[in-house]
Amino acid sequence: MKAFYSFLAVIVLILVAAIGGSIANLHFVFGIVIPYVAFVLFVGGFICRVIKWGRSPVPYRIPTTGGQQKSLPWIKQDKIQNPTTALGVIVRMALEVLLFRSLFGNLKTELREGANGAEISYGSAKWLWLGSLAFHWSFLIIIFRHLRFFLEPIPSAVQVVDSVDSMLQIGLPPIYITDLLFIVAITFLFVRRIVIPRVKYISQPADYFPLLLIFSIACSGILMRYFYKVDIVSVKELALSLAMLHPVLPTGVGAIFYVHLFLVCTLFVYFPTSKLMHMGGIFLSPTRNMLNNSRMVRHINPWNHPVEVHTYEQYEDEFREKMKKAGIPVEKE
């Protein structure tokens, strides 16, 4: 039912956008007003979340580590998994952000019947790492390709990525490799949450909704490119006018374009309040971005305000006679 509620919400969004895209009087709202509002909410919400995280006090070193810490000279340190230098942290963060290093070491746990009864077995689980890697990198390349709609002239880097991504000359227009990988990857991530009982048990509507929303965005974009053709010149005219803050509403782009645009705007609005904010949170995670030098440096809590204490000596001076009567030994007679 959790997945059904998310699916129903996405269907409602698609219907709203389809109706709005079919009514000419609403094109201004769906083509100009909503994109600007969504962009402002996205940027403002993103900045607010980052500032809130940045203000959170982290007085102690709390990095998550799984390797040998720097210790005695003859003990080899794991400089990436347990870094004690800024370079080690940078390398660790780069591997985490670009290659999902911690997810690569993910293990699956199963209860199997062994010779002595039920036994716990551990095995490699690289499919999640591979699906997540394909999803995020495909998404990044697709967003980078879309810069050709917002920039004029088109940067050479965007043209190179576009040409490499579309090197499969199957039909016209050429098929983008990232489109195929993206659909396969997001389908895998969604099916995994439904098929695996343990993952399904902990999944909430907040886990299904972004997957279905992004899947709908991808499908609407593919429909525009390969099936329901839209006027690319008009689309770029609108994108450029929005980027230059002089919006010009084109005509004849079709309702499917407004569906795609509205779903993207919905993702922008939803992004800062959702789990998708791990994109910015990963860089502010103290379990990842801190040195593990607790054996090398003494860390003092800067928020450790002075408090009034009652020492044992004071306690004994206060209750010495009563302690003697009760037979409790005292340090001073």
Side-chain angles (χ1 to χ4, degrees):
M1 291 299 293
K2 298 175 183 178
F4 176 75
Y5 292 145
S6 299
F7 175 77
L8 186 61
V10 173
I11 293 298
V12 171
L13 292 173
I14 294 174
L15 292 177
V16 170
I19 295 173
S22 302
I23 302 175
N25 293 334
L26 295 179
H27 287 181
F28 177 79
V29 176
F30 282 84
I32 296 177
V33 176
I34 292 179
Y36 276 137
V37 173
F39 181 78
V40 171
L41 292 177
F42 170 75
V43 175
F46 197 101
I47 293 175
C48 288
R49 289 292 296 273
V50 170
I51 292 176
K52 182 180 179 180
W53 287 333
R55 289 178 175 177
S56 300
V58 186
Y60 300 114
R61 300 285 168 164
I62 55 173
T64 301
T65 59
Q68 175 61 47
Q69 187 179 8
K70 185 175 182 180
S71 180
L72 300 174
W74 60 85
I75 300 178
K76 185 178 180 180
Q77 176 199 2
D78 192 337
K79 297 182 179 180
I80 296 178
Q81 185 63 26
N82 206 327
T84 54
T85 63
L87 179 60
V89 173
I90 293 174
V91 173
R92 185 189 190 197
M93 287 293 296
L95 292 175
E96 186 68 30
V97 172
L98 301 177
L99 299 176
F100 305 162
R101 183 173 179 268
S102 62
L103 192 59
F104 182 79
N106 187 42
L107 297 176
K108 62 178 179 180
T109 306
E110 295 179 347
L111 188 64
R112 297 181 179 180
E113 289 295 331
N116 300 322
E119 297 178 351
I120 297 179
S121 63
Y122 301 93
S124 178
K126 297 295 187 293
W127 285 109
L128 177 59
W129 168 80
L130 188 61
S132 299
L133 198 66
F135 169 75
H136 286 84
W137 273 104
S138 297
F139 205 174
L140 177 62
I141 294 174
I142 290 172
I143 294 175
F144 187 74
R145 281 198 286 104
H146 275 63
L147 291 178
R148 68 186 188 276
F149 294 111
F150 297 90
L151 301 174
E152 186 61 39
I154 302 175
S156 57
V158 177
Q159 294 179 351
V160 170
V161 171
D162 187 272
S163 60
V164 172
D165 196 10
S166 61
M167 63 182 178
L168 290 179
Q169 297 293 332
I170 302 176
L172 195 67
I175 297 176
Y176 283 119
I177 299 175
T178 52
D179 288 348
L180 301 176
L181 288 177
F182 190 72
I183 292 295
V184 172
I186 198 170
T187 302
F188 164 75
L189 294 176
F190 179 78
V191 172
R192 171 182 171 271
R193 288 195 172 273
I194 297 178
V195 173
I196 302 178
R198 295 184 299 274
V199 181
K200 181 180 180 180
Y201 179 77
I202 63 174
S203 295
Q204 300 296 326
D207 298 307
Y208 293 112
F209 179 74
L211 290 175
L212 292 172
L213 180 60
I214 295 173
F215 180 80
S216 302
I217 293 173
C219 289
S220 59
I222 291 174
L223 289 175
M224 277 196 302
R225 178 173 175 82
Y226 302 107
F227 300 97
Y228 301 100
K229 302 299 178 61
V230 298
D231 189 352
I232 298 297
V233 176
S234 299
V235 171
K236 183 164 185 174
E237 179 184 356
L238 174 60
L240 285 173
S241 65
L242 290 174
M244 294 186 295
L245 302 181
H246 293 288
V248 176
L249 193 62
T251 58
V253 293
I256 185 65
F257 167 75
Y258 289 103
V259 171
H260 182 73
L261 181 61
F262 182 74
L263 293 176
V264 171
C265 293
T266 303
L267 180 64
F268 270 44
V269 174
Y270 178 76
F271 197 101
T273 60
S274 68
K275 296 181 179 180
L276 300 176
M277 271 300 296
H278 65 264
M279 183 182 74
I282 183 64
F283 297 98
L284 297 175
S285 174
T287 60
R288 294 288 175 186
N289 61 15
M290 299 186 76
L291 306 177
N292 191 21
N293 58 355
S294 56
R295 291 185 178 180
M296 304 163 60
V297 179
R298 181 181 180 183
H299 301 282
I300 300 176
N301 184 1
W303 293 275
N304 190 15
H305 301 290
V307 295
E308 184 178 354
V309 297
H310 193 243
T311 64
Y312 178 77
E313 289 79 5
Q314 295 172 334
Y315 173 83
E316 187 175 293
D317 290 339
E318 184 177 353
F319 299 100
R320 181 174 291 108
E321 296 303 325
K322 295 181 179 180
M323 293 172 65
K324 288 180 179 179
K325 292 180 180 180
I328 299 175
V330 294
E331 293 184 357
K332 297 180 181 179
E333 294 296 335

